[in-house]
């Protein structure tokens, strides 16, 4: 293959620096690349390739090692930053089918969760410091989030989600535990109803389909009120 030694590519203020090996005509050899991509505005970079209204306009940096062979892309020691927040990723994507088969481990942490979400959703999420991690498996038949863990300044959530998307987007199976300081922070807006601002602890297992939730297990403590199904 062709060896690349410290290659630098610039696209306006964005830059990529990498080295590795290209297989060229020998398809039996893998493509192996290690490098760094960085720039002052991720939204501006993505806008060069299409409309990306929900991408944050933050400085970014991505470091990692990548290997591609037999239609499989492997991510090794991928880490980076977006604004003041950090992330890590590892795993694989198999391409060449109707839908990529994805098996990833993802983690993120930072001081400002609000930096990462669209402005029109800021009233729906907590702000400030956060940590999050999950295993992600995605195929044409569905999406699974395992060992899901999210911690913010107002509460924590752990568990797993089994989603029908993309084949059956209305199917959701869940096994979740959550606790926090203020129930009002996690209940979506319901016209004519505002929940009490009380501490909560909830354990729920069941499914959601066609706008109806079915619980196989539900335990909740809402302030002084306790509920079990």
């Amino acid at each position: 293959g062709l060896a690349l030694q410290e290659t630098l590519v610039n696209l306006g203020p964005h830059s990529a620096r990498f080295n590795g090996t290209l297989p060229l005509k020998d398809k039996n050899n893998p493509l192996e690349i290690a490098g760094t991509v960085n720039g002052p505005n991720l939204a501006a970079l993505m806008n060069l390739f299409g409309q990306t209204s929900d991408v944050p306009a933050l400085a970014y940096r991505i470091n990692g090692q990548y290997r591609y062979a037999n239609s499989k892309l492997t991510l090794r020691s991928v880490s980076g930053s977006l604004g003041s927040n950090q992330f890590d990723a590892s795993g694989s994507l198999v391409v060449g089918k109707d839908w990529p088969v994805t098996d990833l481990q993802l983690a993120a942490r930072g001081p400002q969760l609000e930096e990462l979400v669209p402005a029109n959703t800021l009233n729906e999420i907590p702000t400030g410091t956060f940590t999050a991690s999950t295993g992600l498996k995605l195929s044409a038949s569905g999406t699974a989030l395992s060992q899901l863990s999210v911690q913010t300044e107002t509460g924590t959530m752990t568990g797993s989600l089994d989603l029908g998307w993309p084949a059956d987007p209305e199917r959701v199976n869940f096994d979740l535990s959550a606790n926090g300081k203020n129930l009002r922070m996690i209940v979506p807006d319901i016209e004519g109803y505002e929940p009490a601002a009380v501490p909560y602890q909830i354990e729920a297992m069941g499914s959601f389909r066609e706008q109806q939730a079915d619980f196989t297990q539900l335990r909740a403590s809402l302030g002084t009120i306790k509920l079990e199904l």
Side-chain angles (χ1 to χ4, degrees):
L2 174 64
L4 301 176
Q5 300 294 332
E6 207 59 31
T7 301
L8 176 64
V9 177
N10 291 315
L11 184 60
H14 311 280
S15 66
R17 186 183 300 273
F18 55 90
N19 58 70
T21 304
L22 301 180
L24 295 181
K25 295 181 179 181
D26 188 352
K27 296 182 179 180
N28 293 321
N29 290 334
L31 165 65
E32 295 188 281
I33 294 289
T36 300
V37 180
N38 63 276
N41 188 325
L42 181 60
L45 173 66
M46 300 308 294
N47 281 336
L48 297 176
F49 304 99
Q51 294 184 354
T52 52
S53 58
D54 291 336
V55 176
L58 299 172
Y60 67 92
R61 183 179 182 88
I62 304 171
N63 308 300
Q65 301 175 23
Y66 312 90
R67 185 180 192 273
Y68 183 79
N70 300 319
S71 301
K72 182 177 182 179
L73 174 64
T74 302
L75 284 64
R76 300 172 177 167
S77 304
V78 176
S79 63
S81 61
L82 184 56
S84 57
N85 307 286
Q86 310 295 315
F87 67 87
D88 302 284
S90 61
S92 64
L93 297 86
V94 179
V95 298
K97 300 182 178 180
D98 293 338
W99 198 271
V101 177
T102 303
D103 187 354
L104 296 174
Q105 293 292 323
L106 305 171
R109 61 202 175 276
Q112 291 184 290
L113 178 58
E114 60 271 25
E115 279 189 331
L116 304 178
V117 299
N120 60 358
T121 65
L122 285 177
N123 62 333
E124 301 174 8
I125 67 160
T127 59
T129 59
F130 76 98
T131 61
S133 61
T134 189
L136 170 64
K137 290 189 176 182
L138 170 64
S139 67
S141 60
T143 304
L145 300 176
S146 61
Q147 298 179 314
L148 175 65
S149 177
V150 179
Q151 182 172 357
T152 70
E153 292 184 0
T154 59
T156 64
M157 182 178 69
T158 59
S160 62
L161 289 169
D162 181 12
L163 313 177
W165 187 87
D168 184 8
E170 293 188 359
R171 174 176 61 82
V172 178
N173 296 323
F174 54 86
D175 183 358
L176 298 170
S177 298
N179 65 80
K181 304 174 184 177
N182 188 343
L183 179 63
R184 196 174 292 172
M185 294 295 297
I186 65 167
V187 176
D189 290 337
I190 301 174
E191 186 175 354
Y193 170 72
E194 184 176 59
V198 296
Y200 64 90
Q201 184 170 346
I202 302 170
E203 297 178 8
M205 180 185 300
S207 62
F208 186 84
R209 190 179 183 92
E210 296 179 354
Q211 299 183 338
Q212 178 176 324
D214 294 314
F215 294 96
T216 57
Q217 177 179 305
L218 176 62
R219 295 193 185 100
S221 175
L222 312 175
T224 59
I225 300 173
K226 296 186 183 299
L227 173 66
E228 184 168 347
L229 297 177

